[in-house]
Amino acid sequence: MTKTYDIDAGTIRRVDWLELVPLTLFFRAFSATFKPSFLLLGAFLVILTSCVITDGSNSRFASSWTEERVLAAGGRAIVNADGAARLGVVPIRYAFAPATRLLNVVSSNTPGSKTSIVAQSRKSPVSFTIVQCVGFLLAAWLALAASRTAVVRLTSTSRSSTAASLKFATKRFPSALMTIVAPLCFLLAIETTRFIFSALGVVGDVLAPFAAFFFILFEAIFFILVLAAPLGLAAIAAENCDGFDAISRSVSYIVQRSLIGAIYAFVAQILIVVGSFVITFVTLPAFLFYANCFDMQTPGWVRFWGMALANIPVAYAYAAAIVYGSAIYVLLRRSVDGTPFDACALNLKGSAPRKLRKILKDGKGAPTFDAQQASMTEKKTETSAEERSEQEEKI
């Protein structure tokens, strides 16, 4: 008898590039970083926070800005010293501090000459702190929403709209806040340890080795939690878990795959630079046309949208970091736990998935659309089965 052979044995029909080269997931993540809705929301958050910080006693947006103030967007000055918009940009350096002088801008209009422009504000340190806390909470909320959209897009064929992601972020915001605030608890532990040992006096000097041990321990935990915070947001978005589970997962991945995670973060940083160049190349000419079309010194609506357009590159850097953080979480989850790349908690209601209707069959077992006849046939079958069981018991 002639032995048959499979001529297709060993033939590769399909290559799973994601399993072979996990970094290919970043190609999908790169396109996900350009979601317009989150870029606009991020830009609005930047300008609203900056508006409250730099504005004076008047609560209206930009109503107290003078011609000396420089509109800073994406690290570039966009007006001359006389307040007129111009087709040209120069690099600037600025810094915030919780004091009277909140914004210090140093611009160079021509090589070799520098013009120092300082924006004064009468905001108190308390108001500055409150604004920063509110901005921090809003940033955490938007970060969780962006992570939810990114995780669903990277792990499934489904899509989570901006409204659905914001609703998810509102529901899971306490868990996300726990993952972000957890490092601050260990900063507080460091400060508490310092206060206790300094208050002990001579006894504290004797116990100095224990103080050093606690300082090293708390500092190490603090840095691990800081590195794990972006992965914690991605864990909540992907698993719909609470804050404790998210911290546990993210810390486990950071500790067990620290070198691989560093490589992924390095590649993500390169892609963020590339994406920032692309988004700046697109938005900068649009803003320059806008600045020459409208008077940027006009307070209110015109300046608001001008700043929104100019701050899109800044918002992109943060949005891209969140998206790539979600991609890194998916990759590390696969490496540590062996979880498939397409695993994501899409059913957030916790209800059982809908099942297909039962196929109706006639007396001979063939499919039928006659529900009444199928019901009668099923009853006859059950009756005959009961009769057979009764006969068997009698025997």
Side-chain angles (χ1 to χ4, degrees):
M1 182 177 179
T2 305
K3 186 177 181 180
T4 58
Y5 295 92
D6 184 6
I7 60 176
D8 292 332
T11 303
I12 299 177
R13 295 297 182 185
R14 179 178 176 271
V15 177
D16 191 349
W17 290 106
L18 190 55
E19 291 286 351
L20 185 62
V21 186
L23 278 174
T24 54
L25 184 65
F26 280 8
F27 290 107
R28 296 183 62 184
F30 183 77
S31 60
T33 58
F34 296 95
K35 190 173 180 60
S37 57
F38 285 110
L39 294 181
L40 286 177
L41 288 174
F44 291 162
L45 178 62
V46 172
I47 62 176
L48 289 177
T49 306
S50 302
C51 162
V52 176
I53 292 174
T54 56
D55 201 2
S57 59
N58 198 328
S59 60
R60 292 186 59 188
F61 170 75
S63 58
S64 64
W65 282 43
T66 63
E67 292 185 356
E68 292 181 352
R69 295 182 184 270
V70 174
L71 179 59
R76 296 179 183 276
I78 55 177
V79 295
N80 287 323
D82 57 356
R86 58 187 175 80
L87 277 173
V89 293
V90 293
I92 68 168
R93 176 173 56 84
Y94 58 93
F96 291 99
T100 302
R101 189 193 313 186
L102 296 182
L103 179 62
N104 184 14
V105 181
V106 179
S107 63
S108 56
N109 296 325
T110 57
S113 64
K114 294 185 178 181
T115 303
S116 179
I117 304 174
V118 178
Q120 300 290 337
S121 176
R122 292 184 294 274
K123 283 290 181 181
S124 64
V126 177
S127 300
F128 180 86
T129 304
I130 293 175
V131 170
Q132 293 303 300
C133 291
V134 173
F136 172 79
L137 295 178
L138 291 176
W141 179 59
L142 288 178
L144 182 57
S147 181
R148 175 63 180 177
T149 299
V151 165
V152 173
R153 182 170 181 177
L154 294 175
T155 59
S156 67
T157 56
S158 303
R159 293 292 183 269
S160 179
S161 63
T162 302
S165 297
L166 292 176
K167 182 178 179 181
F168 174 86
T170 304
K171 180 181 178 181
R172 283 298 180 183
F173 183 72
S175 300
L177 192 60
M178 182 182 300
T179 61
I180 299 176
V181 175
L184 301 181
C185 297
F186 287 90
L187 279 182
L188 180 61
I190 293 175
E191 184 64 22
T192 304
T193 303
R194 185 194 64 80
F195 175 77
I196 292 174
F197 280 92
S198 60
L200 291 177
V202 178
V203 179
D205 295 340
V206 176
L207 300 178
F210 295 96
F213 171 76
F214 284 119
F215 285 143
I216 294 175
L217 177 63
F218 292 150
E219 184 180 359
I221 297 176
F222 168 75
F223 282 113
I224 292 176
L225 289 177
V226 168
L227 295 176
L231 300 183
L233 292 178
I236 297 172
E239 318 296 344
N240 193 27
C241 58
D242 57 11
F244 292 102
D245 191 9
I247 294 174
S248 176
R249 289 171 179 269
S250 57
V251 171
S252 175
Y253 298 160
I254 287 293
V255 172
Q256 297 187 53
R257 297 292 187 273
S258 56
L259 181 58
I260 297 177
I263 295 174
Y264 290 158
F266 177 75
V267 177
Q269 183 64 38
I270 295 176
L271 293 177
I272 290 175
V273 173
V274 174
S276 298
F277 174 79
V278 173
I279 202 73
T280 304
F281 181 79
V282 174
T283 57
L284 182 58
F287 171 76
L288 293 178
F289 285 119
Y290 183 92
N292 283 270
C293 180
F294 299 99
D295 182 10
M296 292 301 296
Q297 295 302 311
T298 303
W301 192 248
V302 174
R303 175 174 288 187
F304 178 86
W305 282 102
M307 292 181 67
L309 186 61
N311 280 282
I312 287 179
V314 180
Y316 173 82
Y318 291 103
I322 295 168
V323 173
Y324 290 123
S326 303
I328 292 174
Y329 170 80
V330 174
L331 295 175
L332 295 182
R333 182 184 64 172
R334 173 61 175 169
S335 177
V336 176
D337 296 337
T339 307
F341 288 110
D342 57 353
C344 183
L346 298 177
N347 183 21
L348 302 180
K349 297 181 179 180
S351 58
R354 296 183 60 183
K355 298 181 179 180
L356 297 176
R357 294 180 58 186
K358 185 179 179 180
I359 299 178
L360 304 177
K361 298 181 180 180
D362 57 12
K364 298 181 179 180
T368 180
F369 292 97
D370 192 347
Q372 185 176 2
Q373 181 182 359
S375 178
M376 293 175 60
T377 303
E378 185 176 357
K379 290 181 179 179
K380 290 181 181 180
T381 304
E382 292 177 355
T383 303
S384 60
E386 291 177 357
E387 292 177 353
R388 286 196 301 269
S389 61
E390 290 177 359
Q391 291 178 359
E392 291 176 357
E393 290 177 358
K394 291 179 182 181
I395 295 175

Short mmCIF file of all heavy atoms in Angstrom, two decimals, residues 348-388:
data_model
loop_
_atom_site.label_atom_id
_atom_site.label_comp_id
_atom_site.label_asym_id
_atom_site.label_seq_id
_atom_site.Cartn_x
_atom_site.Cartn_y
_atom_site.Cartn_z
N LEU A 348 -18.90 45.41 31.58
CA LEU A 348 -18.72 46.11 32.85
C LEU A 348 -19.92 45.99 33.77
O LEU A 348 -19.85 46.36 34.93
CB LEU A 348 -18.43 47.60 32.59
CG LEU A 348 -17.23 47.89 31.71
CD1 LEU A 348 -17.05 49.38 31.53
CD2 LEU A 348 -15.96 47.27 32.29
N LYS A 349 -21.05 45.48 33.27
CA LYS A 349 -22.24 45.36 34.10
C LYS A 349 -22.23 44.12 34.97
O LYS A 349 -22.99 44.01 35.91
CB LYS A 349 -23.50 45.35 33.22
CG LYS A 349 -23.69 46.65 32.45
CD LYS A 349 -24.96 46.60 31.62
CE LYS A 349 -25.16 47.90 30.86
NZ LYS A 349 -26.40 47.88 30.04
N GLY A 350 -21.39 43.14 34.65
CA GLY A 350 -21.30 41.93 35.43
C GLY A 350 -22.39 40.92 35.14
O GLY A 350 -22.47 39.89 35.80
N SER A 351 -23.26 41.20 34.18
CA SER A 351 -24.33 40.26 33.86
C SER A 351 -23.82 39.20 32.90
O SER A 351 -22.82 39.39 32.20
CB SER A 351 -25.51 41.01 33.22
OG SER A 351 -25.09 41.70 32.05
N ALA A 352 -24.51 38.06 32.87
CA ALA A 352 -24.11 36.96 31.99
C ALA A 352 -24.36 37.35 30.54
O ALA A 352 -25.35 38.02 30.22
CB ALA A 352 -24.90 35.71 32.34
N PRO A 353 -23.49 36.96 29.64
CA PRO A 353 -23.69 37.31 28.23
C PRO A 353 -24.93 36.62 27.67
O PRO A 353 -25.33 35.54 28.11
CB PRO A 353 -22.42 36.80 27.55
CG PRO A 353 -21.90 35.74 28.47
CD PRO A 353 -22.27 36.17 29.85
N ARG A 354 -25.54 37.27 26.72
CA ARG A 354 -26.75 36.70 26.10
C ARG A 354 -26.38 35.47 25.28
O ARG A 354 -25.38 35.46 24.57
CB ARG A 354 -27.41 37.75 25.19
CG ARG A 354 -27.92 38.96 25.94
CD ARG A 354 -28.63 39.91 25.00
NE ARG A 354 -29.76 39.26 24.36
CZ ARG A 354 -30.53 39.85 23.43
NH1 ARG A 354 -30.24 41.10 23.05
NH2 ARG A 354 -31.54 39.21 22.89
N LYS A 355 -27.21 34.44 25.42
CA LYS A 355 -26.98 33.20 24.71
C LYS A 355 -27.89 33.10 23.48
O LYS A 355 -28.94 33.75 23.42
CB LYS A 355 -27.22 32.00 25.63
CG LYS A 355 -26.29 31.94 26.83
CD LYS A 355 -26.58 30.72 27.68
CE LYS A 355 -25.64 30.65 28.87
NZ LYS A 355 -25.91 29.46 29.73
N LEU A 356 -27.49 32.27 22.52
CA LEU A 356 -28.31 32.05 21.34
C LEU A 356 -29.56 31.27 21.69
O LEU A 356 -29.60 30.49 22.66
CB LEU A 356 -27.50 31.29 20.28
CG LEU A 356 -26.26 32.01 19.74
CD1 LEU A 356 -25.50 31.09 18.78
CD2 LEU A 356 -26.62 33.30 19.04
N ARG A 357 -30.60 31.50 20.95
CA ARG A 357 -31.85 30.78 21.19
C ARG A 357 -31.68 29.29 20.90
O ARG A 357 -30.89 28.89 20.04
CB ARG A 357 -32.96 31.35 20.30
CG ARG A 357 -33.35 32.77 20.63
CD ARG A 357 -34.44 33.25 19.71
NE ARG A 357 -35.61 32.39 19.79
CZ ARG A 357 -36.68 32.52 19.01
NH1 ARG A 357 -36.70 33.46 18.06
NH2 ARG A 357 -37.70 31.70 19.15
N LYS A 358 -32.41 28.50 21.65
CA LYS A 358 -32.34 27.06 21.48
C LYS A 358 -32.92 26.66 20.12
O LYS A 358 -33.96 27.17 19.69
CB LYS A 358 -33.12 26.37 22.60
CG LYS A 358 -33.02 24.86 22.57
CD LYS A 358 -33.80 24.27 23.72
CE LYS A 358 -33.73 22.74 23.69
NZ LYS A 358 -34.49 22.15 24.82
N ILE A 359 -32.25 25.73 19.44
CA ILE A 359 -32.71 25.29 18.11
C ILE A 359 -33.91 24.36 18.29
O ILE A 359 -33.84 23.36 19.02
CB ILE A 359 -31.57 24.58 17.35
CG1 ILE A 359 -30.40 25.56 17.15
CG2 ILE A 359 -32.07 24.05 16.02
CD1 ILE A 359 -29.21 24.93 16.46
N LEU A 360 -35.01 24.69 17.64
CA LEU A 360 -36.22 23.87 17.73
C LEU A 360 -36.11 22.69 16.76
O LEU A 360 -35.64 22.85 15.63
CB LEU A 360 -37.45 24.72 17.39
CG LEU A 360 -37.65 25.98 18.25
CD1 LEU A 360 -38.87 26.76 17.77
CD2 LEU A 360 -37.79 25.60 19.71
N LYS A 361 -36.53 21.54 17.22
CA LYS A 361 -36.45 20.33 16.40
C LYS A 361 -37.80 19.63 16.39
O LYS A 361 -38.57 19.69 17.36
CB LYS A 361 -35.39 19.38 16.96
CG LYS A 361 -33.98 19.97 16.94
CD LYS A 361 -32.97 18.98 17.49
CE LYS A 361 -31.57 19.57 17.48
NZ LYS A 361 -30.56 18.62 18.01
N ASP A 362 -38.10 18.95 15.27
CA ASP A 362 -39.34 18.19 15.17
C ASP A 362 -39.15 16.80 15.75
O ASP A 362 -38.13 16.51 16.39
CB ASP A 362 -39.81 18.13 13.71
CG ASP A 362 -38.74 17.52 12.80
OD1 ASP A 362 -37.76 16.95 13.33
OD2 ASP A 362 -38.89 17.63 11.57
N GLY A 363 -40.14 15.93 15.50
CA GLY A 363 -40.07 14.58 16.06
C GLY A 363 -38.91 13.76 15.56
O GLY A 363 -38.42 12.85 16.26
N LYS A 364 -38.42 14.04 14.37
CA LYS A 364 -37.32 13.29 13.80
C LYS A 364 -35.95 13.92 14.08
O LYS A 364 -34.93 13.41 13.61
CB LYS A 364 -37.50 13.15 12.29
CG LYS A 364 -38.77 12.39 11.91
CD LYS A 364 -38.89 12.26 10.41
CE LYS A 364 -40.15 11.47 10.02
NZ LYS A 364 -40.27 11.33 8.55
N GLY A 365 -35.95 15.05 14.81
CA GLY A 365 -34.68 15.68 15.16
C GLY A 365 -34.21 16.72 14.18
O GLY A 365 -33.10 17.25 14.35
N ALA A 366 -35.03 17.02 13.17
CA ALA A 366 -34.63 18.03 12.19
C ALA A 366 -35.02 19.42 12.69
O ALA A 366 -36.04 19.58 13.38
CB ALA A 366 -35.31 17.75 10.84
N PRO A 367 -34.24 20.45 12.37
CA PRO A 367 -34.59 21.81 12.79
C PRO A 367 -35.92 22.26 12.20
O PRO A 367 -36.26 21.93 11.05
CB PRO A 367 -33.44 22.66 12.24
CG PRO A 367 -32.32 21.70 12.06
CD PRO A 367 -32.94 20.39 11.70
N THR A 368 -36.69 23.00 12.98
CA THR A 368 -38.00 23.47 12.54
C THR A 368 -38.26 24.85 13.12
O THR A 368 -37.66 25.24 14.13
CB THR A 368 -39.10 22.51 12.98
OG1 THR A 368 -40.36 23.00 12.53
CG2 THR A 368 -39.13 22.38 14.49
N PHE A 369 -39.19 25.58 12.46
CA PHE A 369 -39.59 26.90 12.94
C PHE A 369 -40.93 26.86 13.65
O PHE A 369 -41.41 27.89 14.12
CB PHE A 369 -39.67 27.89 11.76
CG PHE A 369 -38.34 28.19 11.15
CD1 PHE A 369 -37.91 27.53 10.02
CD2 PHE A 369 -37.50 29.13 11.71
CE1 PHE A 369 -36.69 27.81 9.46
CE2 PHE A 369 -36.26 29.41 11.17
CZ PHE A 369 -35.85 28.74 10.03
N ASP A 370 -41.55 25.68 13.68
CA ASP A 370 -42.86 25.53 14.33
C ASP A 370 -42.63 25.32 15.82
O ASP A 370 -42.33 24.21 16.28
CB ASP A 370 -43.61 24.35 13.71
CG ASP A 370 -45.08 24.32 14.14
OD1 ASP A 370 -45.42 25.07 15.08
OD2 ASP A 370 -45.85 23.57 13.55
N ALA A 371 -42.78 26.39 16.61
CA ALA A 371 -42.51 26.29 18.04
C ALA A 371 -43.52 25.41 18.75
O ALA A 371 -43.18 24.66 19.67
CB ALA A 371 -42.53 27.69 18.66
N GLN A 372 -44.80 25.46 18.31
CA GLN A 372 -45.83 24.65 18.95
C GLN A 372 -45.58 23.17 18.74
O GLN A 372 -45.66 22.36 19.67
CB GLN A 372 -47.21 25.04 18.41
CG GLN A 372 -48.37 24.32 19.11
CD GLN A 372 -49.70 24.80 18.61
OE1 GLN A 372 -49.78 25.65 17.71
NE2 GLN A 372 -50.78 24.26 19.18
N GLN A 373 -45.28 22.79 17.52
CA GLN A 373 -45.00 21.38 17.23
C GLN A 373 -43.74 20.91 17.98
O GLN A 373 -43.71 19.80 18.50
CB GLN A 373 -44.82 21.19 15.72
CG GLN A 373 -44.55 19.74 15.34
CD GLN A 373 -44.33 19.59 13.84
OE1 GLN A 373 -44.41 20.58 13.11
NE2 GLN A 373 -44.07 18.38 13.40
N ALA A 374 -42.74 21.75 18.06
CA ALA A 374 -41.53 21.38 18.77
C ALA A 374 -41.81 21.19 20.25
O ALA A 374 -41.28 20.28 20.90
CB ALA A 374 -40.45 22.44 18.57
N SER A 375 -42.69 22.04 20.81
CA SER A 375 -43.04 21.91 22.22
C SER A 375 -43.79 20.62 22.48
O SER A 375 -43.53 19.92 23.47
CB SER A 375 -43.87 23.12 22.66
OG SER A 375 -44.26 22.99 24.01
N MET A 376 -44.74 20.29 21.58
CA MET A 376 -45.49 19.04 21.73
C MET A 376 -44.56 17.83 21.62
O MET A 376 -44.68 16.86 22.37
CB MET A 376 -46.60 18.96 20.68
CG MET A 376 -47.69 20.02 20.88
SD MET A 376 -48.92 20.00 19.56
CE MET A 376 -49.54 18.32 19.71
N THR A 377 -43.63 17.88 20.69
CA THR A 377 -42.69 16.79 20.52
C THR A 377 -41.81 16.61 21.75
O THR A 377 -41.54 15.49 22.20
CB THR A 377 -41.80 17.05 19.29
OG1 THR A 377 -42.64 17.23 18.13
CG2 THR A 377 -40.85 15.91 19.05
N GLU A 378 -41.40 17.76 22.35
CA GLU A 378 -40.56 17.69 23.55
C GLU A 378 -41.34 17.09 24.71
O GLU A 378 -40.80 16.29 25.49
CB GLU A 378 -40.07 19.09 23.90
CG GLU A 378 -39.09 19.12 25.07
CD GLU A 378 -38.56 20.51 25.31
OE1 GLU A 378 -38.92 21.43 24.55
OE2 GLU A 378 -37.79 20.67 26.27
N LYS A 379 -42.64 17.45 24.84
CA LYS A 379 -43.46 16.89 25.91
C LYS A 379 -43.66 15.39 25.72
O LYS A 379 -43.60 14.62 26.68
CB LYS A 379 -44.81 17.59 25.95
CG LYS A 379 -44.74 19.02 26.44
CD LYS A 379 -46.12 19.66 26.48
CE LYS A 379 -46.04 21.10 26.99
NZ LYS A 379 -47.40 21.73 27.01
N LYS A 380 -43.90 14.97 24.47
CA LYS A 380 -44.06 13.54 24.22
C LYS A 380 -42.78 12.79 24.55
O LYS A 380 -42.81 11.69 25.12
CB LYS A 380 -44.42 13.32 22.75
CG LYS A 380 -45.82 13.77 22.39
CD LYS A 380 -46.11 13.51 20.93
CE LYS A 380 -47.52 13.98 20.54
NZ LYS A 380 -47.80 13.73 19.11
N THR A 381 -41.66 13.38 24.22
CA THR A 381 -40.38 12.74 24.51
C THR A 381 -40.17 12.60 26.01
O THR A 381 -39.73 11.56 26.51
CB THR A 381 -39.22 13.55 23.90
OG1 THR A 381 -39.46 13.71 22.49
CG2 THR A 381 -37.90 12.86 24.12
N GLU A 382 -40.52 13.67 26.77
CA GLU A 382 -40.37 13.60 28.22
C GLU A 382 -41.33 12.57 28.82
O GLU A 382 -40.97 11.83 29.73
CB GLU A 382 -40.65 14.99 28.82
CG GLU A 382 -39.61 16.03 28.47
CD GLU A 382 -39.95 17.39 29.02
OE1 GLU A 382 -41.06 17.51 29.60
OE2 GLU A 382 -39.14 18.33 28.88
N THR A 383 -42.57 12.50 28.26
CA THR A 383 -43.55 11.53 28.77
C THR A 383 -43.08 10.11 28.52
O THR A 383 -43.16 9.23 29.41
CB THR A 383 -44.91 11.75 28.11
OG1 THR A 383 -45.34 13.11 28.35
CG2 THR A 383 -45.96 10.79 28.68
N SER A 384 -42.60 9.85 27.33
CA SER A 384 -42.12 8.50 27.01
C SER A 384 -40.91 8.13 27.87
O SER A 384 -40.75 6.98 28.28
CB SER A 384 -41.77 8.40 25.52
OG SER A 384 -40.75 9.35 25.19
N ALA A 385 -40.08 9.12 28.15
CA ALA A 385 -38.91 8.85 28.99
C ALA A 385 -39.35 8.50 30.41
O ALA A 385 -38.79 7.59 31.05
CB ALA A 385 -37.99 10.06 29.00
N GLU A 386 -40.38 9.19 30.91
CA GLU A 386 -40.88 8.88 32.25
C GLU A 386 -41.51 7.48 32.28
O GLU A 386 -41.33 6.73 33.25
CB GLU A 386 -41.91 9.94 32.67
CG GLU A 386 -41.30 11.31 32.92
CD GLU A 386 -42.35 12.34 33.27
OE1 GLU A 386 -43.55 11.96 33.25
OE2 GLU A 386 -41.98 13.50 33.54
N GLU A 387 -42.27 7.14 31.24
CA GLU A 387 -42.88 5.81 31.19
C GLU A 387 -41.82 4.72 31.15
O GLU A 387 -41.96 3.68 31.82
CB GLU A 387 -43.79 5.71 29.96
CG GLU A 387 -45.03 6.60 30.05
CD GLU A 387 -45.86 6.53 28.78
OE1 GLU A 387 -45.38 5.90 27.80
OE2 GLU A 387 -46.96 7.13 28.76
N ARG A 388 -40.76 4.93 30.39
CA ARG A 388 -39.70 3.92 30.34
C ARG A 388 -39.03 3.76 31.70
O ARG A 388 -38.69 2.65 32.13
CB ARG A 388 -38.67 4.30 29.28
CG ARG A 388 -39.15 4.07 27.85
CD ARG A 388 -37.98 4.09 26.88
NE ARG A 388 -37.25 5.35 26.94
CZ ARG A 388 -37.53 6.40 26.17
NH1 ARG A 388 -38.53 6.31 25.28
NH2 ARG A 388 -36.84 7.50 26.26
#
